[in-house]
Amino acid sequence: MKKLKLNLLALLVIIGVGMSSCSSDDDPSGSQEPETFIRFSVDGVDFAYEDNIATVESNNITINGQNGLSEDDDYSFMSIWFPLGFTTGTYDFSGDFFQEGDYKLNAEINSLDVDDWATSGSVNITSIGSEFIRGTFTATVPSDDGGTITIENGEFKAYTID
């Protein structure tokens, strides 16, 4: 009886260790994608807002991310706007805040002296699921010094509004 208990205990330990090392989400690189994010680069500098992306609906839908506080030198903020009832596809950004029904991008990046709406660029909404919206984007945004910055390699994953 004692040997049976020891064998049973050993079997349970082996099963426990085996189960804890298995996962359906295994990633060979060892990293996992955050649940939500907005990522992009400007002149080779990467920006990433992860896990705290807000999806808001009013007269439109916005996906928002930020790092830091607005008074910080390294503060940055990104907001991507969609009209209600949007679908998958590629859409050009409009720089007109007051034009209802347009796709828009607003960026504030203190380190680059940027706080404006994209004057050109586009968003490609690649999927709209029951939980998440995913897509990619590029944009050109005016800077405070009269120039522009180019946002490249943009991608997002945000919660879907019910």
Side-chain angles (χ1 to χ4, degrees):
M1 184 72 162
K2 192 173 193 177
K3 188 173 184 180
L4 178 62
K5 285 183 183 180
L6 286 174
N7 285 340
L8 185 56
L9 180 60
L11 179 61
L12 289 174
V13 168
I14 291 170
I15 290 172
V17 169
M19 290 182 71
S20 69
S21 66
C22 294
S23 171
S24 60
D25 296 327
D26 282 349
D27 181 346
S29 68
S31 65
Q32 284 192 315
E33 178 179 87
E35 190 164 35
T36 59
F37 59 83
I38 299 175
R39 298 180 192 135
F40 60 96
S41 62
V42 177
D43 293 331
V45 177
D46 295 329
F47 294 83
Y49 315 118
E50 298 183 344
D51 290 329
N52 293 314
I53 303 305
T55 306
V56 181
E57 180 179 352
S58 180
N59 291 331
N60 53 38
I61 294 176
T62 62
I63 297 172
N64 309 290
Q66 86 177 48
N67 284 333
L69 302 173
S70 60
E71 62 271 7
D72 296 341
D73 289 340
D74 62 349
Y75 170 78
S76 62
F77 170 82
M78 171 82 51
S79 182
I80 306 170
W81 295 45
F82 307 98
L84 298 176
F86 65 92
T87 61
T88 58
T90 301
Y91 305 93
D92 290 335
F93 287 130
S94 159
D96 186 355
F97 170 76
F98 297 103
Q99 182 64 38
E100 201 168 309
D102 281 356
Y103 294 81
K104 301 172 185 67
L105 180 140
N106 179 251
E108 183 175 350
I109 306 170
N110 287 356
S111 63
L112 300 175
D113 291 325
V114 169
D115 183 8
D116 212 338
W117 296 88
T119 55
S120 64
S122 63
V123 60
N124 180 15
I125 302 167
T126 57
S127 69
I128 304 168
S130 61
E131 291 186 69
F132 298 105
I133 306 162
R134 290 188 80 117
T136 61
F137 61 94
T138 61
T140 300
V141 181
S143 60
D144 294 342
D145 65 5
T148 60
I149 64 158
T150 301
I151 295 172
E152 301 177 307
N153 306 314
E155 61 180 333
F156 65 88
K157 178 182 173 190
Y159 293 112
T160 302
I161 297 287
D162 292 333

